[in-house]
């Protein structure tokens, strides 16, 4: 029989085997010792089982496995079983979740993954560079076009909408898709360089698929989903649909409400790494350890480990984000490696010489970091990088 396996951190360390047994039974067959022998035989294959308990650093850890046939094949059922009511039951945090291989047909993961996205933009040997539209709310399509052109002119690989830019009268999503495609194609004709532009999906949940298909028809080359405001099953349905043949970027909006507490909620590597990978995201954004909404480095790296875990699903690109500037690039490469995305909004648009120079500065910093050259030394040859380091400083 196959099982879903979950590990929890408890705020207590006493009587762990007993507590674990209570969880395993409470989330499956209810009671056990009250059942007669025949009932026990009948229910044995539905019973949750304690796999392991241990205590360290003043916390208790319990691992429990749940029979696969207890749940329907959706995230709603899986998460309700492993951490539904339980999430409300005192100091408890879900720290690991593994689905059995028998779930793969229903949870096939990303369409593109790391290799697929690299293939689309023909970049195989370095971290990708992504920028975020900034200050677009209240502006029109002319402004948006200019911002996109500037980011591309610097040589960006990926561009994404700000997650707060929805479908709206000034820059309708369909127009963004159409104009975005025109600009991306013109850039390709001119330079031979392919880039992707992810448009934010928004609107009523039951119309999202239709919206995604219309955006793709209009020219969208990628989509951005605020997954935790809609739900993981929404991401899964979009990713599995063959009529939505573009990469999907997972945005972490709202996830702070679940990951921030050390005692409650879901561990960041599970919520922003494991689950988006299984649900079908091609990239997963999360707070970097360095910026304005920082996540502890072990957690940020834990997300990258889960995103790139080799197994039943494709590996997906980790995107440490927020407060990223060129002076952080060497640190990013050290912490997240080549299979990652360096992503910046303010760190591109805030460059004193403009967004194109901002992207160029990132590229110069990246080339230097990959060559093992210090950013300070590279800045002697590169004006854009020098200006960026003067503006933001350097993290060695
Ligand atoms: C963790 C998500 C980061 C994000 O979406 C965003 O817009 C970052 O902007 P900057 O780079 O901090 O300006």
């Amino acid at each position: 029989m196959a099982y879903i396996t979950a590990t929890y951190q408890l705020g207590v360390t006493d009587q762990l085997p007993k507590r674990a047994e209570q969880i395993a039974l409470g989330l499956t067959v209810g009671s056990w010792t009250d059942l007669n022998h025949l009932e026990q035989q009948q229910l044995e294959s539905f019973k949750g089982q304690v796999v392991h308990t241990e205590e360290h650093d003043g916390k208790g850890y319990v691992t429990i496995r749940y029979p696969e046939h207890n749940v329907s094949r959706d995230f709603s059922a899986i998460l309700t079983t492993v951490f539904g009511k339980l999430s409300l039951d005192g100091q408890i945090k879900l720290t690991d979740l593994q689905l059995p291989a028998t779930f793969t047909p229903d949870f096939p993961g990303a369409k593109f993954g790391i290799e697929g996205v690299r293939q689309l933009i023909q970049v195989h040997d370095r971290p990708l560079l992504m920028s975020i539209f900034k200050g677009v709310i209240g502006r029109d399509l002319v402004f948006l076009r200019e911002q996109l052109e500037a980011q591309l002119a610097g040589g960006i690989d990926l561009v994404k909408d700000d997650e707060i830019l929805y479908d709206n009268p000034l820059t309708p999503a369909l127009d963004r898709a159409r104009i975005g495609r025109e600009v991306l194609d013109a850039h390709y004709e001119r330079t031979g360089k392919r880039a992707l532009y992810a448009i934010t999906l928004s609107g009523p949940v039951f119309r999202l698929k239709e919206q995604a298909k219309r955006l793709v028809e209009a020219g969208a080359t990628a989509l951005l989903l605020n997954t935790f405001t809609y739900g993981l099953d929404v991401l899964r349905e979009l990713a599995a649909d063959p009529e939505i043949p573009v990469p999907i970027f997972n945005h972490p909006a709202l996830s702070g409400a679940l990951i921030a507490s050390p005692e409650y909620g879901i561990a960041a590597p599970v919520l922003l790494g494991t689950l988006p990978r299984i649900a079908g995201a091609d990239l997963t954004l999360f707070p970097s350890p360095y910026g304005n909404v920082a996540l502890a480095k072990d957690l940020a790296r834990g997300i990258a480990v889960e995103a790139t875990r080799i197994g039943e699903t494709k590996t997906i690109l980790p995107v440490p984000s927020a407060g990223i500037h060129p002076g952080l690039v060497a640190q990013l490469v050290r912490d997240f490696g080549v299979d990652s995305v360096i992503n910046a909004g303010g760190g591109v648009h805030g460059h004193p010489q403009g967004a194109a120079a901002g992207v160029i500065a990132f590229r110069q910093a990246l080339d230097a970091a990959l060559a093992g050259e210090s950013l300070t030394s590279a800045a002697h040859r590169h004006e854009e990088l020098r200006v960026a380091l003067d503006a933001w400083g350097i993290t060695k």
Side-chain angles (χ1 to χ4, degrees), residues 132 134 160 162-163 251-252 285-287 292 321-324 344-346:
I132 311 163
K134 285 287 163 183
K160 79 163 193 65
D162 209 344
E163 73 282 3
H251 196 278
L285 280 76
F286 54 91
N292 39 5
S321 303
I324 302 297

Side-chain angles (χ1 to χ4, degrees), residues 326-330 364-366 368-369 373-380 385 389 394:
L328 283 165
V329 166
Q364 292 164 343
L366 183 54
E373 182 185 11
S374 77
L375 300 190
T376 317
S377 149
H380 291 308
L385 182 56
L389 297 186
I394 193 166

Side-chain angles (χ1 to χ4, degrees), residues 27-63:
L27 296 178
T28 57
V29 295
S31 60
W32 190 250
T33 44
D34 299 342
L35 302 177
N36 65 39
H37 182 64
L38 181 62
E39 287 172 325
Q40 287 193 349
Q41 271 185 328
Q42 284 168 343
L43 293 179
E44 177 66 42
S45 71
F46 297 91
K47 181 175 172 285
Q49 296 171 9
V50 178
V51 176
H52 183 67
T53 66
E54 72 178 66
E55 170 193 340
H56 55 83
D57 301 327
K59 305 270 184 229
Y61 293 86
V62 304
T63 300

Side-chain angles (χ1 to χ4, degrees), residues 155-206:
I156 204 79
D157 301 310
L158 311 167
V159 182
K160 79 163 193 65
D161 274 340
D162 209 344
E163 73 282 3
I164 51 172
L165 185 70
Y166 315 112
D167 198 12
N168 72 93
L170 283 173
T171 50
L174 278 175
D175 287 336
R176 302 207 300 273
R178 186 175 49 74
I179 288 173
R181 186 56 166 268
E182 265 174 39
V183 173
L184 292 176
D185 285 352
H187 179 68
Y188 176 68
E189 290 304 319
R190 220 173 24 254
T191 64
K193 162 96 185 108
R194 283 258 179 244
L196 305 178
Y197 163 29
I199 296 175
T200 309
L201 282 168
S202 66
V205 65
F206 288 114

